[in-house]
Amino acid sequence: MRISSIDIGSNAIRQVIIEIDMNGTWTVLKKHREPIRLGHDVFLYRKITPPTEQRLVLAFKRMARLMKKFKVDKSIALATSAFRDAQNKRPLLTKIKQTSGIKIEVISGTEEARLIRQAVKHNTCLNDKHCLLIDIGGGSVELTHVHSNRIYFSRSFRWGMVRTLAEAAVQNKTPQVICKENLKKASRFLPKRQFELAVGTGGNLDAIGKLKLTLLKKGPNTLVSASELKIIYKRFMKMSPQDRLTKLDLKPDRLDVIEPALFLTLQLLKKYKIKRIKIPCVGLKEGAIYSLLNSHS
């Protein structure tokens, strides 16, 4: 069986097409990314503007062609924070369905956190530890406390990195100040205990793993200690914008959001006295596949 899963985020749109054999083994056939920053429009203007709408329609036509090329049997497309907030989402969802055949489901932050948890559950051994799952997206941040396959806390916060950059520009503050203010405002809603381990998901955390390889010249990119993260952040902040562009193995639309993402991750590890963070390189689109399979089992 072949499945296409599309994650329509606030910073970019990501598609993965996989094949599952009789034993349940996954083979990735195609990964595709559309660098469309929906959050830039929505977090500033509360809607998706006509130029971005045109790019979206063309992007989904391309993804539909990929689905046809790889003879996909089942598909799922999930939209998160930017689409949740867009005032003009309904006619746009209809237009995309009519022009590409792809039906998009706009999910809540709670459902987003649940699906991310599904991806982590199937790909990461937590060794019965009290674990904090951290997903840092463009529009929202999901925090989940997990222990022994039980969820004790899960909440979605409007702290995404594209949103943070927009708020910083409007308020004439640094993104780091916005991150600190968000944590302080939400302190009464956050878990009060310490954690033995963190697991980071999403494009920003995957990028932090890449920065370990590039800036520290060592692996693995799937495990970063708190002390390593401090060094990564310091070295990143010392680099000029041009050096970041030419010397780091990051996409251009990741270079601005990774700065507050590094800072927020550091703040969370410090707050909860977490010594290391696992980065399994999975997220919403993989969790959506597990959910789709469970619904048809």
Side-chain angles (χ1 to χ4, degrees):
M1 179 169 58
R2 294 186 174 188
I3 299 175
S4 167
S5 179
I6 301 173
D7 170 7
I8 304 129
S10 300
N11 190 51
I13 301 169
R14 290 167 292 273
Q15 179 185 31
V16 63
I17 297 175
I18 67 161
E19 184 171 57
I20 305 177
D21 65 19
M22 296 295 290
N23 298 318
T25 302
W26 292 22
T27 300
V28 176
L29 303 178
K30 179 69 176 179
K31 286 185 176 182
H32 179 72
R33 186 177 189 272
E34 294 281 350
I36 301 176
R37 184 170 280 187
L38 297 175
H40 177 270
D41 286 6
V42 177
F43 304 146
L44 288 176
Y45 312 119
R46 298 180 178 272
K47 65 179 182 179
I48 296 170
T49 61
T52 303
E53 181 178 319
Q54 292 175 8
R55 292 179 63 203
L56 263 180
V57 169
L58 292 174
F60 275 92
K61 285 182 178 179
R62 285 190 288 271
M63 287 185 279
R65 287 196 292 269
L66 285 174
M67 290 164 61
K68 184 176 181 180
K69 176 182 177 181
F70 286 94
K71 299 178 181 178
V72 165
D73 300 297
K74 297 182 184 296
S75 65
I76 187 167
L78 303 179
T80 56
S81 186
F83 252 101
R84 284 197 293 267
D85 291 358
Q87 294 177 347
N88 61 336
K89 60 177 170 285
R90 293 192 183 280
L92 183 52
L93 292 171
T94 300
K95 186 174 184 179
I96 290 171
K97 177 68 168 66
Q98 291 173 342
T99 55
S100 69
I102 296 174
K103 182 180 179 181
I104 298 171
E105 180 184 355
V106 182
I107 60 172
S108 68
T110 301
E111 176 66 1
E112 186 176 353
R114 186 189 74 81
L115 293 172
I116 292 166
R117 163 67 187 130
Q118 285 290 310
V120 171
K121 176 182 176 182
H122 286 87
N123 289 275
T124 306
C125 179
L126 303 181
N127 296 322
D128 202 31
K129 296 180 183 295
H130 283 277
C131 179
L132 182 66
L133 308 188
I134 304 170
D135 185 86
I136 300 179
S140 63
V141 172
E142 280 69 44
L143 300 178
T144 303
H145 170 199
V146 177
H147 179 244
S148 298
N149 286 324
R150 181 178 172 186
I151 295 175
Y152 289 84
F153 168 91
S154 185
R155 191 171 181 125
S156 179
F157 297 92
R158 293 161 63 88
W159 299 345
M161 299 301 97
V162 176
R163 193 189 297 272
T164 294
L165 291 176
E167 291 177 358
V170 170
Q171 299 178 36
N172 195 27
K173 297 177 180 177
T174 67
Q176 288 85 343
V177 168
I178 297 295
C179 287
K180 281 189 172 182
E181 289 178 350
N182 285 337
L183 280 170
K184 185 176 181 180
K185 290 174 187 175
S187 60
R188 65 192 179 98
F189 301 111
L190 295 171
K192 301 298 187 276
R193 62 161 296 123
Q194 295 181 16
F195 293 93
E196 299 160 275
L197 177 69
V199 175
T201 58
N204 285 308
L205 271 299
D206 292 351
I208 288 175
K210 286 185 178 180
L211 287 177
K212 177 182 176 180
L213 299 177
T214 307
L215 295 178
L216 302 189
K217 306 295 184 186
K218 66 177 182 179
N221 64 309
T222 53
L223 183 67
V224 181
S225 70
S227 58
E228 287 172 338
L229 189 58
K230 287 180 184 178
I231 298 170
I232 291 168
Y233 179 69
K234 287 180 180 178
R235 291 183 181 178
F236 180 86
M237 294 303 294
K238 288 180 180 179
M239 297 179 75
S240 68
Q242 183 61 30
D243 282 346
R244 293 178 186 180
L245 181 63
T246 57
K247 296 181 179 180
L248 300 179
D249 183 26
L250 297 178
K251 293 179 173 61
D253 63 351
R254 184 67 62 192
L255 290 172
D256 55 352
V257 292
I258 193 63
E259 180 180 323
L262 279 164
F263 182 79
L264 179 59
T265 306
L266 268 174
Q267 293 300 303
L268 288 168
L269 296 191
K270 180 180 178 181
K271 178 179 178 63
Y272 291 111
K273 296 181 171 57
I274 301 171
K275 294 183 179 179
R276 63 192 189 281
I277 181 167
K278 286 187 175 183
I279 305 173
C281 298
V282 296
L284 178 63
K285 58 187 184 299
E286 289 80 14
I289 293 173
Y290 287 115
S291 181
L292 185 66
L293 292 172
N294 289 338
S295 68
H296 288 85
S297 61

